[in-house]
Every structure is written in structure tokens, then in C-alpha cells.
Amino acid sequence: MNNTVAALADIVQNKEIAPNIYHMKIKALDIAKKAVPGQFLHIRCGKTLSPLLRRPISIADTDEKTGCVEIIYRVVGEGTRLLSQTLTGHKLDVIGPLGNGFPLPEKDAHCIIVAGGIGTAPIIYLAKKIASEPKNKNSVTTVLGFTTKSEVFGEGYLKFPGVETIIATDDGSYGYKGFPTDILERLLQEHMGKTDPIIYSCGPKPMLIKVKEIAASKNIRAYLSLEEHMACGVGACLGCSVKSSRKGYKKVCKDGPVFEAGEVELC
Amino acid sequence: MKHDVDLSVNIAGINMKNPVMVASGTFGFGREYSDFYDINKLGALVTKGLTFMPKNGNPPPRVHETPAGMLNSVGLENPGVQGFIEEEWPHLSELAIPVIANIDGDTVEDYHKTAKKLSSLEGLAALEVNISCPNVEKGGLAFGQEPESAFEVIKAVREATRLPIIAKLSPNVTHIQKIAEAAVSAGADAISLINTLLGMAIDIDTQQPIFSRKFAGLSGPAVKPVALRMVWEVCEAVDVPVIGMGGITTWQDAVEFILAGASAVAIGTANFVNPTAPLEIIEGIKAYLDMKGRNLQDLIGAARG
Ligand SMILES: Cc1cc2nc3c(=O)[nH]c(=O)nc-3n(C[C@H](O)[C@H](O)[C@H](O)COP(=O)(O)OP(=O)(O)OC[C@H]3O[C@@H](n4cnc5c(N)ncnc54)[C@H](O)[C@@H]3O)c2cc1C
Ligand SMILES: Cc1cc2nc3c(=O)[nH]c(=O)nc-3n(C[C@H](O)[C@H](O)[C@H](O)COP(=O)(O)O)c2cc1C
Ligand code: FES
């Protein structure tokens, strides 16, 4: 069976949920059925030759019953600007699900999920997935960091049993003042002596570097979702490399985007 | 009555059921796009560039988008010829279509050794000798810039193998015809072109070049007119079959290259944009020939008068 699907999916929603942040839902049953948290879609944002390449966007949720796949994206350039202007009822040219997702905990695990800014998108899917198996008795704490109050989003999507959410803003205008990694350190302190937690993280590189450092110093397992500029998105062009901790490079699109922190060099 | 279009073409002994191949470095070793379609429908498959020893490639970033195109600085990351034979050849050899190995080297000796080693593979259809890679320190492009060095490399490969040799030329030269002639006189059975055009991009925030090697290779629709002109020129200069590539994105683009004299075409960057582009191009050429009531052979070079 094919693992990756190319689809012209119906857009069923595309709305602004915070300044320049959009939440889109498309109907793509085959993708919804196969996807796991941490995987992404490779999206053709326009119809002309510029921008030429597809844009990678994480899957923020799926619904196998309705066949919906959701993404949350920030408008940063031409591709995402065109995406924000596509209308409900139109088609979206997507391929996916791509890449390796977050390895899920087995049972009785304490998961601390640290996200920065738009990195919140895949984290919603991950938290929901872990919490959707209550018999496994995993607990989830998500820590979301934003620069300021007006940028905050995602809190509403994470309101389900078994998930606790903590928000931090760099300027303290909402939730805790500081970086999400400050909160991570505090949570680990409080958690001392109990079973080792698992850390998951997605967000800007400086944040991931800090998460990796903290996890290494306390010898805790951590999974990081990385970003790199992509062309093919499927492992064919070798364009999206990240330095491996051992030898050579790994492909973010195919070997990742989720890596165990010790596998890769973040420089 | 519907006319039964003949799309087949024979290039230097490589029998292809249609003239559409995939370009080196844009199709890995054939695994990735198998998810989207049966790759046995292609005319032929060309592997990522192989060197004698494994190569790690260049540090990131390696790709950067430009208007209707992209720059790449992959730097020939590959498992080396032995790694290729162990890890990739077993599945490639099961394909029903011709598989062409693209080879590169730092020295003439490297090309010779790589060609020799690959010649032992039963079923390999041909070698495409890349004398045009802009993304490595030594070798590559340098060999393709002078007729003398192009001659030397192709001759060394000729001495190492009985497989058909396709010489892959760089567009970053003043007199492409001279290079093509030198490659043919050294024993090349076919010519393919173009490899990427040398370009660059600068990050205006950091005020530094985007790529660590500063220059990178431009490909995609933006290069098509240049590629077409060079294919035209080379077809004029040599009698061997020519494989045209550079920016081919639609079947109409492919037909232009064939009309200019190319016996086959290769699809590169378009794979990244539309994974089923090669299939759509095959279908498009077929429908076009059907409409014209012609076969592929009638089309090759038809614009030359
Ligand atoms: C695996 C993966 C998952 C992603 N998930 C999401 C997501 O869920 N939501 C979201 O909003 N964004 C996500 N991104 C980032 C997103 O791909 C880029 O923001 C997008 O490609 C920018 O395209 P553009 O044309 O709008 O901007 P461009 O004009 O291409 O670039 C604008 C800015 O964005 C940066 N940029 C461009 N492409 C990338 C890229 N691939 N990765 C990082 N930065 C880039 C450029 O350096 C530039 O600073 C993800 C990236 C990856 C690799
Ligand atoms: C990411 C990438 C990697 C490439 N790697 C190789 C290579 O290893 N060997 C080679 O001969 N050409 C390589 N090429 C060049 C292509 O095979 C082709 O000649 C060129 O891209 C022009 O065609 P296009 O515009 O259709 O992509 C590469 C091109 C790209 C975009
Ligand atoms: S984007 Fe092509 S290999 Fe990852």
C-alpha cells in the first residue's frame, strides 16, 4: 500500500484565528487515515510557476470519520500569503502524510510538550493523540510560548481531559513571563524523583537548542521536530539536510522532521 | 481510425518505450516516487550522481527558491559506488526500464574507477558522465569547461567500460559545441544537457551569501529557454543522439526540446512540484502525436527544417 498520497483536496475552512495565523481544514480521507502526529503535508500554494516549490506544513489534527485534515499556519511570505487567500470550496494540491512523526509513549508516561509560536500546530495533534488513549494512563503537560498576548493561539484546541496547558509570553502580557524552556526547567524540578518524563518539542531553533541542552543535562529522552528548507519533501533531492551527530547528514523530510535530540546537531 | 502512436526510441543501444526519463539528482534512486505511480512507465531512470568514495555533501542550506526556479548546492551527497551496489542496485535491477548510472569524480582516475566498477553490474543500461556539477570543489564542472579536459574524462571512461556513455554537459561555457564535439570524439555515444546554470543568492538580513559555497546550480522553468538554445546548438554540432533537459515542466516544453533535435528528454525540478509530471508529459506527447498522426521519430528535429 502506498504511504503517501497526492490529492486535490476540498478546502472546507480557512480562517484567521490570530493575527496572520490561519486554521485550514481540508477533506483528504486517505491522508487522515494514515497520518500520525509530527507528519506534514507538502502544499502547492499557488497555481503559477512562482512560487514554484511546495511548502511544508505540519498536520495539526485529523478526523478519520469526516476525512478532515487540519493545518495551522503563519503568513510569512508569498506561499503562505497565497494559501491564506484560497477560498473555501476550492481545491488544494497536497501530498502527504510525509516524514516520521513523534514516537508515542507506551503507558504511565509523563509527557512534557514544549512549543514555540507556530510550532504549536503539530503539538495540538500530538497532545490530543496521547490523551485519546486514557487506558494508557499517560499524562500530558503542554507548554506554549509566544512573544506577546496578541500572538497567543492554541489554548482552546487543547482543552481535553488529561492535558494541562501552560502559556508563557516573552513579555509577560499573558500567562507566565519568560520562555517556555524556563517552565520546562521548573516542571522537571518539580517532577524530580518520579519516573523520567518524555519531552517533545517543536518551535524556533534557539528554543530547540535549549530543550536539547536541558534534556541532555538531565539525561531525559527528548524528541524534536525540525525545519529546513525543502524542495521535493519526499527524500529524493537531498535538499533538506541537517547534520547528524554521527556521520554525514540526515534528511529532515524523510528521516525527520522528528528526531531524537541526540541524533542531530543543531547549529 | 485511431493511429497507434509509436513513442519508442533507441539511444545508443538503450531501448526506451517512450522518450521521457527523470534527471539525475531529482529522483534519488527511484524509491521515493514509487509511492505516486508505477515508475516502470518511465522511458528510463537516471540515478543520483555517484562518486567512487561516499560523499557527505555540502552543509545546509542546500536549496533556495528563485523566480520560477531554484538554486541547489547539494554537493553530490551519495553512498559511493560500493554503497550503491549494495543498497540501491538490488531494487533498481528489478525495474523493467533502463537504469542509467550518473557518475562524477574529483579526478580522471576517479571517473575511470567508478565506471569500471559499475560495468560489472548486469543489466545496467548506460553511464551518464557528469562533467558539469557546479557544487563540488574539484572535478565536476571544471572538466566540462574545456574541450581538452572533457575529452580526457570521456576517454578514461571509454577505456573502462563497454556500456553506452552519455556525456552530460554544463551550460556554463562559452562554446558548448566544442565541448560536445570533444566528448563525441573521445567516445561518447550520446550527449545530455543541460546541467544547472551557475547562480547565487544573498541574504539581505545577514548580508551574506545564502550558500556556504556561495554559488549554486539554477534549475527549473526559468532555465528552459537557455537549455533549449543549447540543445539546438549541440544537435547541430554532433551526430549522436541528444537528451534534452532544463526546466521541462509540461508536455509542451518536452515537445519543444524534441522539435529542436532531442531524441529524449529528462524531467528534473518538475518532479518536486508535481510528482506525476513525467507521466503527464508522456501522456501529453502521446496525445500530441496522435493528433498530428505522427510517430516520435518524425518529431525529432522537425523544427530544424
Ligand atoms: C516539516 C515542517 C513543518 C512546518 N510546519 C509548519 C506549520 O505547521 N505552520 C507554519 O506556519 N509553518 C510551518 N513550517 C514552515 C513553513 O514551511 C514556512 O513558513 C513556509 O514554507 C514559508 O513559505 P512562504 O512562501 O510563505 O515564505 P518564503 O517567502 O518562502 O519565506 C519567508 C520566510 O520563511 C522562511 N522559510 C521558508 N521556507 C521555510 C521552511 N521550509 N522552513 C522554515 N522556514 C522557512 C524563509 O527563510 C523566510 O524567512 C514548517 C516547515 C517544515 C520544514
Ligand atoms: C537538487 C538537484 C540535484 C541534482 N543532482 C545532480 C547530480 O547528482 N548529477 C547530475 O548530473 N545532475 C544533477 N542535477 C541536475 C539535473 O539533473 C538537471 O540537469 C538540471 O536540474 C536541469 O533540469 P531541470 O531544470 O528540469 O531540473 C541536479 C539538479 C537538482 C535540482
Ligand atoms: S526536501 Fe528533498 S530530500 Fe528532503
Side-chain angles (χ1 to χ4, degrees):
Chain A
M1 201 176 69
N2 290 352
N3 302 314
T4 311
V5 180
L8 275 180
D10 284 312
I11 301 171
V12 294
Q13 173 193 308
N14 191 17
K15 74 168 187 223
E16 194 167 10
I17 55 168
N20 279 323
I21 309 267
Y22 286 75
H23 180 184
M24 180 185 267
K25 291 188 191 179
I26 60 169
K27 260 215 157 68
L29 182 63
D30 285 346
I31 296 177
K33 278 204 275 200
K34 288 175 185 162
V36 296
Q39 288 188 303
F40 66 95
L41 301 178
H42 213 22
I43 302 178
R44 184 96 199 268
C45 296
K47 289 193 165 56
T48 64
L49 295 179
S50 255
L52 182 68
L53 300 172
R54 290 169 180 269
R55 297 293 189 260
I57 304 284
S58 303
I59 298 173
D61 205 355
T62 61
D63 185 334
E64 276 192 51
K65 281 191 220 87
T66 59
C68 276
V69 177
E70 304 183 22
I71 56 171
I72 298 174
Y73 60 92
R74 177 196 295 278
V75 175
V76 294
E78 186 57 12
T80 46
R81 189 187 67 77
L82 285 168
L83 198 59
S84 73
Q85 291 174 347
T86 49
L87 302 174
T88 306
H90 285 237
K91 302 271 188 195
L92 191 68
D93 180 349
V94 295
I95 58 182
L98 296 168
N100 282 314
F102 293 103
L104 297 176
E106 282 175 13
K107 50 172 62 156
D108 301 318
H110 180 53
C111 308
I112 305 178
I113 312 184
V114 185
I118 196 67
T120 299
I123 272 4
I124 295 169
Y125 188 18
L126 174 65
K128 195 173 151 188
K129 192 75 171 192
I130 298 173
S132 71
E133 298 280 1
K135 64 174 194 311
N136 291 347
K137 301 208 190 73
N138 293 310
S139 65
V140 179
T141 305
T142 59
V143 184
L144 313 181
F146 300 93
T147 44
T148 185
K149 184 176 175 185
S150 64
E151 305 262 299
V152 176
F153 74 93
E155 207 178 2
Y157 297 121
L158 285 164
K159 289 212 163 82
F160 26 77
V163 179
E164 181 202 2
T165 299
I166 303 171
I167 310 264
T169 48
D170 299 356
D171 62 2
S173 54
Y174 190 84
Y176 288 85
K177 179 171 164 47
F179 296 129
T181 43
D182 302 338
I183 299 189
L184 170 66
E185 283 186 302
R186 207 196 69 210
L187 289 173
L188 292 174
Q189 208 73 46
E190 287 168 8
H191 196 76
M192 278 245 280
K194 299 182 209 164
T195 52
D196 279 349
I198 305 176
I199 301 171
Y200 296 97
S201 190
C202 182
K205 201 177 254 177
M207 188 194 90
L208 296 179
I209 290 173
K210 187 75 190 167
V211 170
K212 181 177 167 167
E213 210 178 278
I214 295 170
S217 72
K218 300 208 161 27
N219 213 357
I220 298 171
R221 236 186 328 154
Y223 297 101
L224 312 178
S225 179
L226 306 190
E227 287 193 5
E228 191 45 71
H229 286 225
M230 293 184 180
C232 72
V234 299
C237 74
L238 310 179
C240 61
S241 307
V242 55
K243 206 159 178 20
S244 159
S245 308
R246 280 183 223 104
K247 197 168 139 262
Y249 294 94
K250 293 199 172 264
K251 292 174 272 200
V252 171
C253 71
K254 189 85 178 182
D255 304 322
V258 177
F259 292 95
E260 187 159 3
E263 272 182 279
V264 284
E265 301 285 336
L266 306 173
C267 35
Chain B
M1 201 186 79
K2 224 172 149 84
H3 146 97
D4 213 4
V5 180
D6 182 6
L7 280 178
S8 68
V9 60
N10 182 303
I11 293 183
I14 313 162
N15 262 313
M16 294 167 46
K17 61 176 175 267
N18 67 62
V20 179
M21 0 200 283
V22 284
S24 176
T26 65
F27 211 76
F29 295 102
R31 292 177 196 270
E32 294 75 16
Y33 288 100
S34 305
D35 265 355
F36 300 101
Y37 62 95
D38 176 6
I39 61 175
N40 280 314
K41 291 186 172 162
L42 295 169
L45 182 153
V46 185
T47 70
K48 172 70 191 163
L50 299 168
T51 49
F52 193 70
M53 296 304 286
K55 251 191 156 58
N56 288 337
N58 295 334
R62 291 179 173 186
V63 293
H64 179 80
E65 197 177 51
T66 60
M70 63 176 279
L71 289 163
N72 91 77
S73 180
V74 171
L76 282 177
E77 175 179 340
N78 81 91
V81 70
Q82 187 60 35
F84 166 78
I85 292 172
E86 284 164 20
E87 294 151 35
E88 309 293 348
W89 180 246
H91 74 91
L92 285 171
S93 64
E94 309 230 310
L95 291 176
I97 54 172
V99 173
I100 299 165
N102 179 285
I103 66 168
D104 204 298
D106 288 341
T107 61
V108 172
E109 178 64 18
D110 278 351
Y111 280 98
H112 180 88
K113 285 195 300 190
T114 306
K116 192 155 196 169
K117 189 130 194 178
L118 289 170
S119 296
S120 66
L121 296 178
E122 195 174 331
L124 186 66
L127 298 180
E128 181 178 54
V129 185
N130 179 3
I131 48 170
S132 44
C133 184
N135 295 326
V136 289
E137 201 64 55
K138 287 181 282 180
L141 176 58
F143 288 114
Q145 281 179 321
E146 299 297 335
E148 295 76 22
S149 48
F151 181 91
E152 240 190 286
V153 172
I154 301 297
K155 185 164 153 273
V157 174
R158 181 73 290 162
E159 283 161 3
T161 186
R162 293 161 76 163
L163 287 169
I165 296 174
I166 304 164
K168 182 160 178 182
L169 306 190
S170 167
N172 306 305
V173 297
T174 316
H175 301 294
I176 190 95
Q177 293 181 325
K178 292 214 165 66
I179 315 281
E181 284 161 4
V184 171
S185 65
D189 304 289
I191 300 282
S192 63
L193 75 165
I194 61 171
N195 205 318
T196 53
L197 276 155
L198 215 48
M200 86 178 289
I202 294 175
D203 183 331
I204 62 164
D205 291 327
T206 64
Q207 305 190 337
Q208 293 297 313
I210 298 266
F211 295 105
S212 61
R213 291 181 43 79
K214 297 185 187 69
F215 302 160
L218 181 66
S219 65
V223 310
K224 195 199 88 178
V226 178
L228 189 62
R229 182 264 298 174
M230 292 192 135
V231 164
W232 181 282
E233 286 183 319
V234 168
C235 288
E236 199 164 78
V238 298
D239 287 331
V240 300
V242 170
I243 300 162
M245 71 191 89
I248 299 177
T249 308
T250 63
W251 66 264
Q252 290 92 336
D253 296 336
V255 167
E256 279 191 72
F257 277 80
I258 297 168
L259 289 169
S263 300
V265 293
I267 315 303
T269 302
N271 289 301
F272 309 155
V273 182
N274 173 11
T276 54
L279 285 196
E280 289 165 26
I281 291 168
I282 296 166
E283 286 310 310
I285 298 172
K286 192 161 171 229
Y288 175 81
L289 287 169
D290 209 1
M291 186 185 72
K292 300 272 178 202
R294 292 297 182 86
N295 290 319
L296 181 72
Q297 293 301 330
D298 310 324
L299 205 63
I300 298 170
R304 311 189 68 90

